[in-house]
Amino acid sequence: MLFSLLMQGRLLKILSGLAVIPTTAQAAQCMNAGLDVVVLGSGGPELTDKRASTGYLLRENGKARFIIDFGAGSSLNFERAKGEIKDLNALLFTHFHVDHSNDLPALVKASFFSDRNRDLPIYGPTGNHVIPTTPVFIERHFSEKGVYPYLSDFLSGEAAFSLKPMAVNADKSKPRLFQTKLNGFTLKAIPIEHGLMPSIGWRIEKDGCAVTFSGDTSNIGKTLDILAKDTDIFIAHNAVPESSTDKVAVKLHMKPSEIGRIARNTNSRSVVLSHFMRRTVNVKQDTAKAVRKQYQGKLAFAEDCDIFSLKSGLKVGSCKQ
C-alpha cells in the first residue's frame, strides 16, 4: 500500500513537471521571396583591405527598405544596388564607430537631390561617456551648431523631410528586447557587448522571414542567443580569428567558434560572415573549420555587393553586375 502511494506521488510529480514544459512552436517559414540583403560593406576600419566599411541594405522586390550601418564606401555600393533614398523606411545603427557610420553625412546631403518627402527615422543606441546617445549624435552632425550646419534644415523641418533620431536601450547590464513595427516590418534590437561602446544587434522580420545583424560584439552576455532565434540569415562579424590571444580584441569581437555556437543554438538557417579585418580575411579555412565544429548549416563569406536571399539563405547575385 505504501509502495503504491509512493509510486502515485512520483507519477504526479512527473506529470506536473511535464505540464509546465512549454511546447516548441514550429519556426515560421519565410514566405516573401522578394526580400534580400545587399552587403554594402564587408570590411572594418582598415584602409588596406580593398573593402568598404560595414553596411547592409535590406531590400524588398529590389526597393531599398532599411540600411543597417553605413560605413565608409557603403554609399557607393548603395548606388550600385540601385538603392533610392526615397524608398527607405529607416536607418538602423548598431553603434557609432566610424567604420559603421561614416557615410551618413553623404546620404543626408544626397537626399537633397532625391524625391523623398517623408520623415526618415534613424534608430541607434543610447549613449554613455564615450559616445553620445543617437539624438545627440545626429544633432552634433546636422544642427546649426553641428559639424555640418548647412544641413541643419533636415532637423529644423525646413527641408522636404526631417531626420527623426530615436535611441534604443543599449545598457548591457540590463538588456531588454526592443521591438517596433514600421510599414509592415517588425524591428527588434538588443544590447550587445562591445567594450565601452554602447551597441545593439538588430533583427528585421516580415512574412515569416528574418535576418539578424550581430554588429560588433564578443557576445559575452549571450544576448545574440535571444535575438537570432530561428533567423533565416545570421550576419555575423568575423573580426578576430579563432587563434587570437589578444584579450582586448576578444572582448570586443566574437571568435568563429562562438559564431558557430550561436548559429547552432538559435537554429539559424544560414550564416554570412562579414566585417573582416586583415587578421581574419586570410584565415578563412581555419574560420570555417571552427564554425563547422558547432554548426553544419549554410555558411558564406561575404564580399562587397553580395546579395543574399532571405528565403533561400543563399547568395543570389552581386550589385556589381
Side-chain angles (χ1 to χ4, degrees):
M1 181 70 173
L2 179 60
F3 177 76
S4 177
L5 288 171
L6 286 171
M7 290 304 294
Q8 288 180 30
R10 287 183 63 187
L11 182 60
L12 285 171
K13 270 190 174 181
I14 292 170
L15 291 174
S16 64
L18 288 174
V20 298
I21 297 175
T23 56
T24 303
Q26 187 175 2
Q29 295 293 314
C30 181
M31 302 300 292
N32 190 333
L35 292 172
D36 61 31
V37 174
V38 184
V39 180
L40 301 180
S42 59
E46 296 164 326
L47 295 181
T48 54
D49 58 0
K50 298 180 181 178
R51 296 170 183 260
S53 294
T54 308
Y56 308 98
L57 173 66
L58 180 72
R59 303 187 305 182
E60 185 176 26
N61 299 321
K63 292 187 178 293
R65 292 299 182 232
F66 295 93
I67 285 175
I68 306 90
D69 287 346
F70 209 53
S74 293
S75 54
L76 175 58
N77 290 331
F78 179 77
E79 180 182 353
R80 285 172 170 159
K82 296 180 172 55
E84 295 194 41
I85 297 170
K86 67 182 178 67
D87 294 328
L88 288 168
N89 289 329
L91 309 182
L92 313 178
F93 286 95
T94 61
H95 64 294
F96 290 121
H97 270 149
V98 170
D99 57 316
H100 291 253
S101 62
N102 201 58
D103 271 10
L104 173 61
L107 182 136
V108 172
K109 175 57 183 176
S111 69
F112 177 82
F113 303 97
S114 75
D115 295 326
R116 188 176 187 92
N117 56 16
R118 58 190 172 107
D119 291 347
L120 180 61
I122 302 177
Y123 292 89
T126 50
N128 62 7
H129 66 286
V130 174
I131 196 101
T133 187
T134 296
V136 176
F137 181 85
I138 299 302
E139 182 181 340
R140 288 183 181 177
H141 273 74
F142 305 115
S143 71
E144 290 183 357
K145 295 183 179 180
V147 177
Y148 303 104
Y150 79 105
L151 298 176
S152 62
D153 51 346
F154 287 100
L155 286 181
S156 67
E158 297 173 55
F161 70 93
S162 295
L163 303 174
K164 295 295 183 182
M166 285 167 275
V168 176
N169 170 51
D171 185 354
K172 59 194 175 187
S173 67
K174 298 177 182 177
R176 299 188 307 274
L177 185 69
F178 166 84
Q179 179 171 324
T180 190
K181 292 185 181 297
L182 187 60
N183 295 340
F185 290 84
T186 298
L187 309 179
K188 295 180 180 179
I190 201 164
I192 55 176
E193 171 65 55
H194 190 43
L196 294 175
M197 200 72 172
S199 303
I200 50 180
W202 281 101
R203 177 183 176 114
I204 304 175
E205 302 173 351
K206 187 177 184 182
D207 300 331
C209 311
V211 56
T212 301
F213 303 87
S214 76
D216 291 358
T217 181
S218 60
N219 198 39
I220 288 175
K222 298 291 189 289
T223 50
L224 284 180
D225 292 56
I226 299 169
L227 193 66
K229 184 69 174 173
D230 294 321
T231 193
D232 292 293
I233 300 179
F234 176 37
I235 298 180
H237 287 181
N238 175 215
V240 294
E242 188 66 25
S243 60
S244 178
T245 57
D246 185 330
K247 292 182 179 179
V248 174
V250 297
K251 188 174 182 181
L252 295 174
H253 300 283
M254 53 190 168
K255 290 186 176 184
S257 56
E258 175 64 4
I259 294 172
R261 186 200 65 78
I262 297 167
R264 181 198 66 210
N265 286 2
T266 59
N267 191 35
S268 296
R269 298 179 184 87
S270 175
V271 172
V272 175
L273 301 181
S274 187
H275 193 288
F276 301 109
M277 298 182 68
R278 284 182 297 171
R279 60 196 180 199
T280 56
V281 75
N282 295 318
V283 292
K284 291 180 180 178
Q285 187 174 354
D286 292 340
T287 296
K289 185 178 179 180
V291 172
R292 287 296 185 208
K293 286 183 179 180
Q294 303 278 347
Y295 172 75
Q296 298 303 314
K298 300 167 187 173
L299 177 64
F301 289 80
E303 298 288 342
D304 287 8
C305 261
D306 281 354
I307 303 170
F308 292 89
S309 163
L310 266 66
K311 189 171 179 63
S312 69
L314 298 174
K315 179 182 173 180
V316 293
S318 170
C319 67
K320 291 181 181 178
Q321 297 171 348

PDB file of all heavy atoms in Angstrom, residues 199-232:
ATOM      1  N   SER A 199      26.223  49.482 -27.821  1.00  0.00           N
ATOM      2  CA  SER A 199      25.969  48.788 -29.085  1.00  0.00           C
ATOM      3  C   SER A 199      24.717  47.931 -28.988  1.00  0.00           C
ATOM      4  O   SER A 199      24.367  47.441 -27.912  1.00  0.00           O
ATOM      5  CB  SER A 199      27.162  47.891 -29.457  1.00  0.00           C
ATOM      6  OG  SER A 199      28.358  48.635 -29.536  1.00  0.00           O
ATOM      7  N   ILE A 200      24.081  47.718 -30.132  1.00  0.00           N
ATOM      8  CA  ILE A 200      22.894  46.864 -30.198  1.00  0.00           C
ATOM      9  C   ILE A 200      22.964  45.997 -31.447  1.00  0.00           C
ATOM     10  O   ILE A 200      23.501  46.402 -32.475  1.00  0.00           O
ATOM     11  CB  ILE A 200      21.580  47.687 -30.213  1.00  0.00           C
ATOM     12  CG1 ILE A 200      21.640  48.801 -31.262  1.00  0.00           C
ATOM     13  CG2 ILE A 200      21.284  48.264 -28.838  1.00  0.00           C
ATOM     14  CD1 ILE A 200      20.396  49.675 -31.351  1.00  0.00           C
ATOM     15  N   GLY A 201      22.430  44.789 -31.357  1.00  0.00           N
ATOM     16  CA  GLY A 201      22.220  43.953 -32.535  1.00  0.00           C
ATOM     17  C   GLY A 201      20.819  44.199 -33.054  1.00  0.00           C
ATOM     18  O   GLY A 201      19.916  44.590 -32.311  1.00  0.00           O
ATOM     19  N   TRP A 202      20.618  43.964 -34.361  1.00  0.00           N
ATOM     20  CA  TRP A 202      19.326  44.220 -34.993  1.00  0.00           C
ATOM     21  C   TRP A 202      18.767  42.969 -35.655  1.00  0.00           C
ATOM     22  O   TRP A 202      19.510  42.128 -36.152  1.00  0.00           O
ATOM     23  CB  TRP A 202      19.444  45.320 -36.056  1.00  0.00           C
ATOM     24  CG  TRP A 202      19.480  46.703 -35.509  1.00  0.00           C
ATOM     25  CD1 TRP A 202      20.577  47.497 -35.339  1.00  0.00           C
ATOM     26  CD2 TRP A 202      18.360  47.470 -35.046  1.00  0.00           C
ATOM     27  NE1 TRP A 202      20.216  48.705 -34.803  1.00  0.00           N
ATOM     28  CE2 TRP A 202      18.856  48.711 -34.608  1.00  0.00           C
ATOM     29  CE3 TRP A 202      16.989  47.215 -34.952  1.00  0.00           C
ATOM     30  CZ2 TRP A 202      18.038  49.708 -34.096  1.00  0.00           C
ATOM     31  CZ3 TRP A 202      16.168  48.210 -34.436  1.00  0.00           C
ATOM     32  CH2 TRP A 202      16.690  49.437 -34.014  1.00  0.00           C
ATOM     33  N   ARG A 203      17.446  42.877 -35.668  1.00  0.00           N
ATOM     34  CA  ARG A 203      16.735  41.816 -36.378  1.00  0.00           C
ATOM     35  C   ARG A 203      15.559  42.454 -37.108  1.00  0.00           C
ATOM     36  O   ARG A 203      14.840  43.296 -36.541  1.00  0.00           O
ATOM     37  CB  ARG A 203      16.229  40.765 -35.393  1.00  0.00           C
ATOM     38  CG  ARG A 203      15.400  39.627 -36.029  1.00  0.00           C
ATOM     39  CD  ARG A 203      14.889  38.698 -34.957  1.00  0.00           C
ATOM     40  NE  ARG A 203      14.013  37.651 -35.458  1.00  0.00           N
ATOM     41  CZ  ARG A 203      14.286  36.353 -35.454  1.00  0.00           C
ATOM     42  NH1 ARG A 203      15.434  35.935 -34.943  1.00  0.00           N
ATOM     43  NH2 ARG A 203      13.434  35.472 -35.923  1.00  0.00           N
ATOM     44  N   ILE A 204      15.353  42.065 -38.365  1.00  0.00           N
ATOM     45  CA  ILE A 204      14.238  42.574 -39.162  1.00  0.00           C
ATOM     46  C   ILE A 204      13.414  41.384 -39.634  1.00  0.00           C
ATOM     47  O   ILE A 204      13.961  40.401 -40.140  1.00  0.00           O
ATOM     48  CB  ILE A 204      14.741  43.384 -40.373  1.00  0.00           C
ATOM     49  CG1 ILE A 204      15.662  44.519 -39.912  1.00  0.00           C
ATOM     50  CG2 ILE A 204      13.562  43.944 -41.163  1.00  0.00           C
ATOM     51  CD1 ILE A 204      16.291  45.300 -41.052  1.00  0.00           C
ATOM     52  N   GLU A 205      12.085  41.485 -39.473  1.00  0.00           N
ATOM     53  CA  GLU A 205      11.185  40.389 -39.821  1.00  0.00           C
ATOM     54  C   GLU A 205      10.053  40.882 -40.716  1.00  0.00           C
ATOM     55  O   GLU A 205       9.580  42.008 -40.589  1.00  0.00           O
ATOM     56  CB  GLU A 205      10.553  39.785 -38.556  1.00  0.00           C
ATOM     57  CG  GLU A 205      11.535  39.256 -37.534  1.00  0.00           C
ATOM     58  CD  GLU A 205      10.839  38.831 -36.245  1.00  0.00           C
ATOM     59  OE1 GLU A 205       9.625  39.115 -36.107  1.00  0.00           O
ATOM     60  OE2 GLU A 205      11.497  38.240 -35.386  1.00  0.00           O
ATOM     61  N   LYS A 206       9.633  39.994 -41.611  1.00  0.00           N
ATOM     62  CA  LYS A 206       8.409  40.223 -42.380  1.00  0.00           C
ATOM     63  C   LYS A 206       8.000  38.919 -43.058  1.00  0.00           C
ATOM     64  O   LYS A 206       8.851  38.198 -43.584  1.00  0.00           O
ATOM     65  CB  LYS A 206       8.588  41.317 -43.444  1.00  0.00           C
ATOM     66  CG  LYS A 206       7.274  41.679 -44.146  1.00  0.00           C
ATOM     67  CD  LYS A 206       7.429  42.806 -45.139  1.00  0.00           C
ATOM     68  CE  LYS A 206       6.063  43.180 -45.728  1.00  0.00           C
ATOM     69  NZ  LYS A 206       6.157  44.246 -46.746  1.00  0.00           N
ATOM     70  N   ASP A 207       6.709  38.611 -43.020  1.00  0.00           N
ATOM     71  CA  ASP A 207       6.153  37.454 -43.730  1.00  0.00           C
ATOM     72  C   ASP A 207       6.861  36.154 -43.378  1.00  0.00           C
ATOM     73  O   ASP A 207       7.128  35.321 -44.248  1.00  0.00           O
ATOM     74  CB  ASP A 207       6.201  37.683 -45.243  1.00  0.00           C
ATOM     75  CG  ASP A 207       5.402  38.898 -45.682  1.00  0.00           C
ATOM     76  OD1 ASP A 207       4.410  39.224 -45.000  1.00  0.00           O
ATOM     77  OD2 ASP A 207       5.770  39.524 -46.693  1.00  0.00           O
ATOM     78  N   GLY A 208       7.169  35.975 -42.099  1.00  0.00           N
ATOM     79  CA  GLY A 208       7.840  34.761 -41.649  1.00  0.00           C
ATOM     80  C   GLY A 208       9.332  34.729 -41.935  1.00  0.00           C
ATOM     81  O   GLY A 208      10.004  33.739 -41.641  1.00  0.00           O
ATOM     82  N   CYS A 209       9.869  35.796 -42.535  1.00  0.00           N
ATOM     83  CA  CYS A 209      11.301  35.886 -42.861  1.00  0.00           C
ATOM     84  C   CYS A 209      12.012  36.732 -41.804  1.00  0.00           C
ATOM     85  O   CYS A 209      11.431  37.683 -41.274  1.00  0.00           O
ATOM     86  CB  CYS A 209      11.501  36.528 -44.230  1.00  0.00           C
ATOM     87  SG  CYS A 209      10.483  35.824 -45.555  1.00  0.00           S
ATOM     88  N   ALA A 210      13.266  36.395 -41.526  1.00  0.00           N
ATOM     89  CA  ALA A 210      14.022  37.153 -40.529  1.00  0.00           C
ATOM     90  C   ALA A 210      15.504  37.179 -40.893  1.00  0.00           C
ATOM     91  O   ALA A 210      16.071  36.181 -41.338  1.00  0.00           O
ATOM     92  CB  ALA A 210      13.840  36.537 -39.141  1.00  0.00           C
ATOM     93  N   VAL A 211      16.109  38.336 -40.694  1.00  0.00           N
ATOM     94  CA  VAL A 211      17.557  38.471 -40.824  1.00  0.00           C
ATOM     95  C   VAL A 211      18.068  39.157 -39.573  1.00  0.00           C
ATOM     96  O   VAL A 211      17.454  40.111 -39.073  1.00  0.00           O
ATOM     97  CB  VAL A 211      17.951  39.258 -42.092  1.00  0.00           C
ATOM     98  CG1 VAL A 211      17.291  40.633 -42.127  1.00  0.00           C
ATOM     99  CG2 VAL A 211      19.471  39.378 -42.210  1.00  0.00           C
ATOM    100  N   THR A 212      19.180  38.651 -39.035  1.00  0.00           N
ATOM    101  CA  THR A 212      19.760  39.177 -37.800  1.00  0.00           C
ATOM    102  C   THR A 212      21.166  39.688 -38.078  1.00  0.00           C
ATOM    103  O   THR A 212      21.967  39.007 -38.726  1.00  0.00           O
ATOM    104  CB  THR A 212      19.813  38.088 -36.713  1.00  0.00           C
ATOM    105  OG1 THR A 212      18.482  37.621 -36.458  1.00  0.00           O
ATOM    106  CG2 THR A 212      20.402  38.642 -35.422  1.00  0.00           C
ATOM    107  N   PHE A 213      21.454  40.890 -37.589  1.00  0.00           N
ATOM    108  CA  PHE A 213      22.761  41.522 -37.754  1.00  0.00           C
ATOM    109  C   PHE A 213      23.445  41.563 -36.388  1.00  0.00           C
ATOM    110  O   PHE A 213      22.971  42.236 -35.471  1.00  0.00           O
ATOM    111  CB  PHE A 213      22.602  42.940 -38.304  1.00  0.00           C
ATOM    112  CG  PHE A 213      21.855  42.987 -39.613  1.00  0.00           C
ATOM    113  CD1 PHE A 213      20.457  43.062 -39.638  1.00  0.00           C
ATOM    114  CD2 PHE A 213      22.530  42.947 -40.823  1.00  0.00           C
ATOM    115  CE1 PHE A 213      19.761  43.109 -40.832  1.00  0.00           C
ATOM    116  CE2 PHE A 213      21.836  42.982 -42.035  1.00  0.00           C
ATOM    117  CZ  PHE A 213      20.453  43.063 -42.039  1.00  0.00           C
ATOM    118  N   SER A 214      24.557  40.882 -36.269  1.00  0.00           N
ATOM    119  CA  SER A 214      25.212  40.766 -34.961  1.00  0.00           C
ATOM    120  C   SER A 214      25.783  42.078 -34.477  1.00  0.00           C
ATOM    121  O   SER A 214      25.857  42.326 -33.273  1.00  0.00           O
ATOM    122  CB  SER A 214      26.335  39.726 -35.024  1.00  0.00           C
ATOM    123  OG  SER A 214      27.484  40.241 -35.680  1.00  0.00           O
ATOM    124  N   GLY A 215      26.201  42.964 -35.415  1.00  0.00           N
ATOM    125  CA  GLY A 215      27.008  44.093 -35.014  1.00  0.00           C
ATOM    126  C   GLY A 215      28.355  43.600 -34.511  1.00  0.00           C
ATOM    127  O   GLY A 215      28.693  42.417 -34.621  1.00  0.00           O
ATOM    128  N   ASP A 216      29.157  44.508 -33.980  1.00  0.00           N
ATOM    129  CA  ASP A 216      30.455  44.141 -33.415  1.00  0.00           C
ATOM    130  C   ASP A 216      30.249  43.737 -31.957  1.00  0.00           C
ATOM    131  O   ASP A 216      29.814  44.560 -31.142  1.00  0.00           O
ATOM    132  CB  ASP A 216      31.415  45.327 -33.469  1.00  0.00           C
ATOM    133  CG  ASP A 216      31.831  45.682 -34.878  1.00  0.00           C
ATOM    134  OD1 ASP A 216      31.397  44.989 -35.817  1.00  0.00           O
ATOM    135  OD2 ASP A 216      32.587  46.658 -35.047  1.00  0.00           O
ATOM    136  N   THR A 217      30.567  42.511 -31.626  1.00  0.00           N
ATOM    137  CA  THR A 217      30.338  42.056 -30.258  1.00  0.00           C
ATOM    138  C   THR A 217      31.100  40.783 -29.955  1.00  0.00           C
ATOM    139  O   THR A 217      31.359  39.976 -30.852  1.00  0.00           O
ATOM    140  CB  THR A 217      28.837  41.808 -29.998  1.00  0.00           C
ATOM    141  OG1 THR A 217      28.651  41.380 -28.646  1.00  0.00           O
ATOM    142  CG2 THR A 217      28.277  40.747 -30.934  1.00  0.00           C
ATOM    143  N   SER A 218      31.439  40.598 -28.691  1.00  0.00           N
ATOM    144  CA  SER A 218      32.004  39.331 -28.219  1.00  0.00           C
ATOM    145  C   SER A 218      30.891  38.385 -27.781  1.00  0.00           C
ATOM    146  O   SER A 218      31.131  37.206 -27.558  1.00  0.00           O
ATOM    147  CB  SER A 218      32.939  39.592 -27.036  1.00  0.00           C
ATOM    148  OG  SER A 218      32.213  40.209 -25.976  1.00  0.00           O
ATOM    149  N   ASN A 219      29.687  38.926 -27.634  1.00  0.00           N
ATOM    150  CA  ASN A 219      28.512  38.178 -27.145  1.00  0.00           C
ATOM    151  C   ASN A 219      28.749  37.595 -25.761  1.00  0.00           C
ATOM    152  O   ASN A 219      28.192  36.548 -25.422  1.00  0.00           O
ATOM    153  CB  ASN A 219      28.110  37.073 -28.120  1.00  0.00           C
ATOM    154  CG  ASN A 219      26.679  36.583 -27.884  1.00  0.00           C
ATOM    155  OD1 ASN A 219      25.785  37.370 -27.596  1.00  0.00           O
ATOM    156  ND2 ASN A 219      26.461  35.284 -27.975  1.00  0.00           N
ATOM    157  N   ILE A 220      29.522  38.276 -24.950  1.00  0.00           N
ATOM    158  CA  ILE A 220      29.782  37.799 -23.586  1.00  0.00           C
ATOM    159  C   ILE A 220      28.477  37.640 -22.805  1.00  0.00           C
ATOM    160  O   ILE A 220      28.303  36.686 -22.049  1.00  0.00           O
ATOM    161  CB  ILE A 220      30.743  38.765 -22.853  1.00  0.00           C
ATOM    162  CG1 ILE A 220      32.164  38.631 -23.436  1.00  0.00           C
ATOM    163  CG2 ILE A 220      30.764  38.489 -21.345  1.00  0.00           C
ATOM    164  CD1 ILE A 220      33.157  39.621 -22.876  1.00  0.00           C
ATOM    165  N   GLY A 221      27.539  38.540 -23.007  1.00  0.00           N
ATOM    166  CA  GLY A 221      26.268  38.454 -22.290  1.00  0.00           C
ATOM    167  C   GLY A 221      25.261  37.511 -22.920  1.00  0.00           C
ATOM    168  O   GLY A 221      24.143  37.379 -22.419  1.00  0.00           O
ATOM    169  N   LYS A 222      25.631  36.863 -24.039  1.00  0.00           N
ATOM    170  CA  LYS A 222      24.785  35.878 -24.728  1.00  0.00           C
ATOM    171  C   LYS A 222      23.463  36.467 -25.225  1.00  0.00           C
ATOM    172  O   LYS A 222      22.490  35.744 -25.448  1.00  0.00           O
ATOM    173  CB  LYS A 222      24.494  34.682 -23.811  1.00  0.00           C
ATOM    174  CG  LYS A 222      25.737  33.905 -23.381  1.00  0.00           C
ATOM    175  CD  LYS A 222      26.356  33.170 -24.538  1.00  0.00           C
ATOM    176  CE  LYS A 222      27.465  32.213 -24.134  1.00  0.00           C
ATOM    177  NZ  LYS A 222      28.711  32.896 -23.697  1.00  0.00           N
ATOM    178  N   THR A 223      23.410  37.769 -25.457  1.00  0.00           N
ATOM    179  CA  THR A 223      22.145  38.373 -25.887  1.00  0.00           C
ATOM    180  C   THR A 223      21.798  38.046 -27.343  1.00  0.00           C
ATOM    181  O   THR A 223      20.631  38.059 -27.718  1.00  0.00           O
ATOM    182  CB  THR A 223      22.174  39.900 -25.687  1.00  0.00           C
ATOM    183  OG1 THR A 223      23.373  40.421 -26.254  1.00  0.00           O
ATOM    184  CG2 THR A 223      22.118  40.259 -24.217  1.00  0.00           C
ATOM    185  N   LEU A 224      22.807  37.743 -28.150  1.00  0.00           N
ATOM    186  CA  LEU A 224      22.511  37.356 -29.528  1.00  0.00           C
ATOM    187  C   LEU A 224      21.755  36.031 -29.582  1.00  0.00           C
ATOM    188  O   LEU A 224      21.037  35.766 -30.554  1.00  0.00           O
ATOM    189  CB  LEU A 224      23.797  37.242 -30.350  1.00  0.00           C
ATOM    190  CG  LEU A 224      24.449  38.559 -30.786  1.00  0.00           C
ATOM    191  CD1 LEU A 224      25.709  38.273 -31.581  1.00  0.00           C
ATOM    192  CD2 LEU A 224      23.493  39.425 -31.602  1.00  0.00           C
ATOM    193  N   ASP A 225      21.888  35.217 -28.546  1.00  0.00           N
ATOM    194  CA  ASP A 225      21.148  33.956 -28.494  1.00  0.00           C
ATOM    195  C   ASP A 225      19.642  34.204 -28.478  1.00  0.00           C
ATOM    196  O   ASP A 225      18.858  33.359 -28.926  1.00  0.00           O
ATOM    197  CB  ASP A 225      21.553  33.161 -27.256  1.00  0.00           C
ATOM    198  CG  ASP A 225      22.991  32.662 -27.321  1.00  0.00           C
ATOM    199  OD1 ASP A 225      23.907  33.501 -27.500  1.00  0.00           O
ATOM    200  OD2 ASP A 225      23.213  31.463 -27.223  1.00  0.00           O
ATOM    201  N   ILE A 226      19.245  35.345 -27.938  1.00  0.00           N
ATOM    202  CA  ILE A 226      17.822  35.718 -27.901  1.00  0.00           C
ATOM    203  C   ILE A 226      17.400  36.286 -29.251  1.00  0.00           C
ATOM    204  O   ILE A 226      16.382  35.920 -29.819  1.00  0.00           O
ATOM    205  CB  ILE A 226      17.572  36.746 -26.783  1.00  0.00           C
ATOM    206  CG1 ILE A 226      17.941  36.155 -25.420  1.00  0.00           C
ATOM    207  CG2 ILE A 226      16.120  37.222 -26.791  1.00  0.00           C
ATOM    208  CD1 ILE A 226      17.978  37.182 -24.297  1.00  0.00           C
ATOM    209  N   LEU A 227      18.235  37.172 -29.779  1.00  0.00           N
ATOM    210  CA  LEU A 227      17.868  37.922 -30.981  1.00  0.00           C
ATOM    211  C   LEU A 227      17.824  37.051 -32.236  1.00  0.00           C
ATOM    212  O   LEU A 227      16.983  37.259 -33.116  1.00  0.00           O
ATOM    213  CB  LEU A 227      18.864  39.061 -31.189  1.00  0.00           C
ATOM    214  CG  LEU A 227      18.486  40.140 -32.206  1.00  0.00           C
ATOM    215  CD1 LEU A 227      17.277  40.934 -31.727  1.00  0.00           C
ATOM    216  CD2 LEU A 227      19.665  41.078 -32.456  1.00  0.00           C
ATOM    217  N   ALA A 228      18.719  36.082 -32.333  1.00  0.00           N
ATOM    218  CA  ALA A 228      18.885  35.326 -33.582  1.00  0.00           C
ATOM    219  C   ALA A 228      18.044  34.058 -33.660  1.00  0.00           C
ATOM    220  O   ALA A 228      18.185  33.289 -34.607  1.00  0.00           O
ATOM    221  CB  ALA A 228      20.358  34.979 -33.777  1.00  0.00           C
ATOM    222  N   LYS A 229      17.160  33.828 -32.720  1.00  0.00           N
ATOM    223  CA  LYS A 229      16.368  32.595 -32.692  1.00  0.00           C
ATOM    224  C   LYS A 229      15.625  32.375 -34.009  1.00  0.00           C
ATOM    225  O   LYS A 229      14.859  33.226 -34.461  1.00  0.00           O
ATOM    226  CB  LYS A 229      15.364  32.664 -31.529  1.00  0.00           C
ATOM    227  CG  LYS A 229      14.540  31.397 -31.345  1.00  0.00           C
ATOM    228  CD  LYS A 229      15.380  30.244 -30.854  1.00  0.00           C
ATOM    229  CE  LYS A 229      14.518  29.029 -30.539  1.00  0.00           C
ATOM    230  NZ  LYS A 229      15.344  27.843 -30.228  1.00  0.00           N
ATOM    231  N   ASP A 230      15.889  31.219 -34.641  1.00  0.00           N
ATOM    232  CA  ASP A 230      15.191  30.820 -35.878  1.00  0.00           C
ATOM    233  C   ASP A 230      15.316  31.856 -36.993  1.00  0.00           C
ATOM    234  O   ASP A 230      14.398  32.022 -37.808  1.00  0.00           O
ATOM    235  CB  ASP A 230      13.711  30.537 -35.604  1.00  0.00           C
ATOM    236  CG  ASP A 230      13.514  29.318 -34.709  1.00  0.00           C
ATOM    237  OD1 ASP A 230      14.253  28.335 -34.874  1.00  0.00           O
ATOM    238  OD2 ASP A 230      12.623  29.361 -33.837  1.00  0.00           O
ATOM    239  N   THR A 231      16.430  32.540 -37.057  1.00  0.00           N
ATOM    240  CA  THR A 231      16.619  33.529 -38.118  1.00  0.00           C
ATOM    241  C   THR A 231      16.965  32.827 -39.436  1.00  0.00           C
ATOM    242  O   THR A 231      17.594  31.768 -39.449  1.00  0.00           O
ATOM    243  CB  THR A 231      17.714  34.543 -37.729  1.00  0.00           C
ATOM    244  OG1 THR A 231      17.668  35.654 -38.619  1.00  0.00           O
ATOM    245  CG2 THR A 231      19.111  33.929 -37.787  1.00  0.00           C
ATOM    246  N   ASP A 232      16.543  33.414 -40.537  1.00  0.00           N
ATOM    247  CA  ASP A 232      16.853  32.843 -41.840  1.00  0.00           C
ATOM    248  C   ASP A 232      18.300  33.117 -42.235  1.00  0.00           C
ATOM    249  O   ASP A 232      18.967  32.258 -42.804  1.00  0.00           O
ATOM    250  CB  ASP A 232      15.906  33.399 -42.903  1.00  0.00           C
ATOM    251  CG  ASP A 232      14.483  32.911 -42.693  1.00  0.00           C
ATOM    252  OD1 ASP A 232      14.245  31.704 -42.853  1.00  0.00           O
ATOM    253  OD2 ASP A 232      13.623  33.736 -42.338  1.00  0.00           O
TER     254      ASP A 232
END
